[in-house]
Amino acid sequence: QVQLVESGGGLVQAGGSLRLSCAASGRTFSRSAMGWFRRAPGKEREFVATISWSGSSTLYADSVKGRFTISRDDAKNTGSLQMNSLKPEDTAVYFCAAARSPWATMTSTEYDYWGQGTQVTVSP
C-alpha cells in the first residue's frame, strides 16, 4: 500500500520557522516529482511548491517564494518543506503529493498520491 505521511506541523508565532517532512512508503518516488499544497480554512487547496525527480528544478507560489524551500532525499524516500518567516496567512493544512511525471508541476491533477495533511498554525 502506497502511503505519504506528513509530519512537522504545529503552532508557531509569526516570523518563526517550521520544517515539514513527507515520508513515502510502499514504493519509491525517485522518478516522480513531489509537491506541497495547502488548504486554508474556507479556501480551496492551493499550490505551494514542487521539485522535479532530480531535484534540479523547483517552483514556488509567489506567496511563499523566498521564504519556503522544498527538498527531497531519495535515499530515504522523503521530502521536506522548510518554512521560514511564517505569516498568519500561511495557516493551513499542508499536504505532500507525488506526481505521475518526473517534472516539477503546479497542477494538482497531475499528482496521483497524497498524504493526509499536517496542520500549520501561525499566530500573530
Side-chain angles (χ1 to χ4, degrees):
Q1 182 180 2
V2 177
Q3 275 191 316
L4 297 177
V5 179
E6 303 93 339
S7 62
L11 173 64
V12 64
Q13 288 188 326
S17 298
L18 283 175
R19 185 177 182 87
L20 304 184
S21 294
C22 177
S25 62
R27 56 159 284 185
T28 178
F29 290 100
S30 61
R31 293 291 182 177
S32 299
M34 296 192 74
W36 289 90
F37 293 76
R38 67 186 181 187
R39 181 186 292 121
K43 295 187 177 181
E44 297 291 317
R45 183 176 59 192
E46 66 174 0
F47 165 76
V48 176
T50 180
I51 186 168
S52 64
W53 71 278
S54 66
S56 63
S57 176
T58 57
L59 297 171
Y60 296 92
D62 287 343
S63 59
V64 307
K65 203 172 293 183
R67 299 188 298 122
F68 290 12
T69 303
I70 189 172
S71 61
R72 63 189 297 157
D73 184 343
D74 291 329
K76 297 180 180 179
N77 219 20
T78 60
S80 297
L81 184 69
Q82 177 66 42
M83 307 187 295
N84 298 328
S85 303
L86 283 161
K87 305 175 180 180
E89 51 264 43
D90 294 319
T91 294
V93 177
Y94 284 71
F95 302 88
C96 72
R100 292 186 292 278
S101 163
W103 314 118
T105 175
M106 298 184 290
T107 306
S108 62
T109 54
E110 296 188 14
Y111 289 83
D112 282 343
Y113 300 99
W114 293 82
Q116 293 299 307
T118 185
Q119 176 70 46
V120 171
T121 303
V122 185
S123 63

